[in-house]
């Protein structure tokens, strides 16, 4: 691990070698500050948080992890990609980093992994933030027919843009090419296995039912114009005692990219209040 020489601030990228694959980790912010863990969604990576991180590091140590099969982490085809397995690896990575407690924020299926982490390691998670994370399969909006069928790999630019288009709704927003590259760098197996793992976890039990007995403070942010999950389903999280649910008008499935400043404005008061 390489630390910067600019005083008490930490900015580094490192690879953690776990038993079932190497994980890429980014850390930013004061090294002695409370930890905020950011978990990306399927077919994405730590880079999806790039615009948001500088807005969060004033008083927090921000940790991002590329889940196995994504970004700069290993992409083995002989490992499991279920949601509980991904959550276990995240917990192991935090152990290796010496993190004993953290606020955990997840975008889309990253919120599903965050929920699984809270179930597995409740002592590790002080509070949860779910950003456009569908509460159950009933809330899923089926993609347009033929928008993405990975029968050949890598996909064409046209296939990639069709696949990614429903992830954004803000007028005039252009999907960054580097995010499309993150999908292209995956394998068919890691992409499909990760998505299947999310579906199976949600089918087994809706997230609000999982979260309600955990007693964790919960903030739900949901772009009102989401084209992947019905934004009205965010109300389902109200069964979690004390849950805060905020709908973001004019934004779609990925507010962390469509409007990072507005996302940070909603996120920071909650994480500051609940940092361990």
């Amino acid at each position: 691990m390489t630390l910067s020489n600019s005083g008490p601030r930490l900015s580094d990228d490192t690879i953690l070698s776990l038993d079932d694959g190497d994980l890429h980790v980014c850390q930013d912010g004061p090294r002695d500050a409370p930890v905020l863990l950011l978990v990306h969604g399927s077919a994405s990576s730590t880079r999806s948080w790039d615009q948001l991180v500088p807005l969060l590091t004033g008083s927090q140590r921000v940790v991002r992890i590329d889940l196995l099969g994504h970004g700069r982490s290993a992409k083995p085809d002989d490992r499991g990609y279920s949601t509980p397995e991904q959550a276990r690896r995240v917990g192991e990575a935090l152990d290796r980093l010496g993190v004993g407690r953290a606020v955990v924020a997840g975008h889309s299926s990253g919120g599903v992994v965050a929920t699984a982490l809270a179930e597995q390691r409740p002592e590790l998670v002080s509070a949860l933030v779910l950003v456009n994370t569908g509460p159950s399969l009933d809330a899923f909006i089926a993609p347009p027919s033929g928008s993405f069928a990975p029968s050949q790999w890598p996909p064409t630019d046209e296939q990639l843009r069709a696949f990614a288009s429903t992830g954004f709704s803000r007028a005039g927003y252009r999907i960054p090419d580097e995010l499309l590259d993150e999908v292209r760098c995956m394998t068919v197996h890691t992409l499909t296995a990760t998505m299947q793992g999310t579906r199976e976890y949600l089918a087994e039990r809706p997230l609000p039912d999982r979260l309600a007995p955990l007693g964790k403070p919960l903030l739900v942010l949901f772009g009102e114009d989401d084209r992947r999950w019905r934004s009205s389903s965010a109300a389902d999280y109200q069964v979690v005692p004390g849950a805060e649910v905020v709908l973001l008008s004019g934004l779609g499935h990925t507010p962390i990219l469509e409007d990072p400043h507005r996302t940070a404005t909603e996120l920071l008061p909650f994480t500051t209040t609940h940092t361990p």
Side-chain angles (χ1 to χ4, degrees):
M1 183 179 296
T2 303
L3 301 182
S4 67
N5 295 318
S6 55
R9 297 191 67 79
L10 166 72
S11 182
D12 82 271
D13 287 78
T14 191
I15 299 293
L16 298 179
S17 295
L18 305 185
D19 289 343
D20 52 358
D22 293 347
L23 295 187
H24 169 238
V25 177
C26 304
Q27 297 184 84
D28 297 274
R31 66 184 71 181
D32 57 350
V35 173
L36 169 62
L37 171 67
L38 303 178
V39 186
H40 65 79
S42 300
S44 190
S45 74
T46 56
R47 297 171 72 177
S48 66
W49 300 97
D50 280 354
Q51 297 179 49
L52 195 61
V53 167
L55 307 175
L56 303 175
T57 53
S59 59
Q60 298 172 106
R61 174 184 171 191
V62 179
V63 177
R64 292 174 285 164
I65 298 173
D66 278 331
L67 300 175
L68 197 72
H70 298 71
R72 291 169 55 189
S73 289
K75 302 172 178 65
D77 282 350
D78 60 346
R79 297 291 187 272
Y81 289 91
S82 70
T83 293
E85 287 172 304
Q86 294 284 34
R88 172 184 55 76
R89 295 178 187 114
V90 170
E92 291 178 4
L94 292 180
D95 291 341
R96 294 280 295 275
L97 295 172
V99 175
R101 200 153 173 81
V103 174
V104 182
H107 170 242
S108 190
S109 63
V112 184
V113 174
T115 299
L117 178 64
E119 286 186 309
Q120 292 178 8
R121 303 282 303 274
E123 80 289 350
L124 191 57
V125 179
S126 60
L128 286 160
V129 180
L130 306 184
V131 183
N132 283 76
T133 298
S136 67
L137 290 181
D138 292 341
F140 183 65
I141 301 171
S145 178
S147 63
F148 187 74
S151 56
Q152 62 178 16
W153 203 263
T156 65
D157 287 351
E158 182 180 355
Q159 285 177 311
L160 280 175
R161 289 200 172 275
F163 171 68
S165 63
T166 55
F168 306 89
S169 298
R170 196 189 77 193
Y173 183 82
R174 186 182 186 280
I175 303 170
D177 290 338
E178 57 268 24
L179 295 183
L180 300 181
D181 290 340
E182 297 287 18
V183 184
R184 188 180 285 109
C185 288
M186 296 182 73
T187 69
V188 174
H189 177 74
T190 58
L191 176 63
T192 57
T194 299
M195 291 182 171
Q196 179 63 25
T198 300
R199 286 192 295 269
E200 291 175 352
Y201 190 80
L202 289 173
E204 182 181 277
R205 193 180 181 196
L207 296 191
D209 292 349
R210 293 177 181 273
L211 291 168
L214 296 182
K216 303 293 181 184
L218 173 66
L219 171 64
V220 176
L221 300 179
F222 225 101
E224 201 165 27
D225 299 331
D226 194 324
R227 291 192 286 159
R228 293 187 175 176
W229 299 92
R230 287 186 296 102
S231 59
S232 60
S233 70
D236 294 354
Y237 288 104
Q238 296 286 11
V239 302
V240 180
E244 302 175 42
V245 178
V246 179
L247 292 180
L248 304 172
S249 62
L251 299 179
H253 182 67
T254 316
I256 62 175
L257 282 165
E258 293 182 76
D259 196 335
H261 285 272
R262 189 171 168 195
T263 305
T265 298
E266 299 291 349
L267 184 65
L268 275 172
F270 179 84
T271 58
T272 301
T273 299
H274 296 292
T275 47

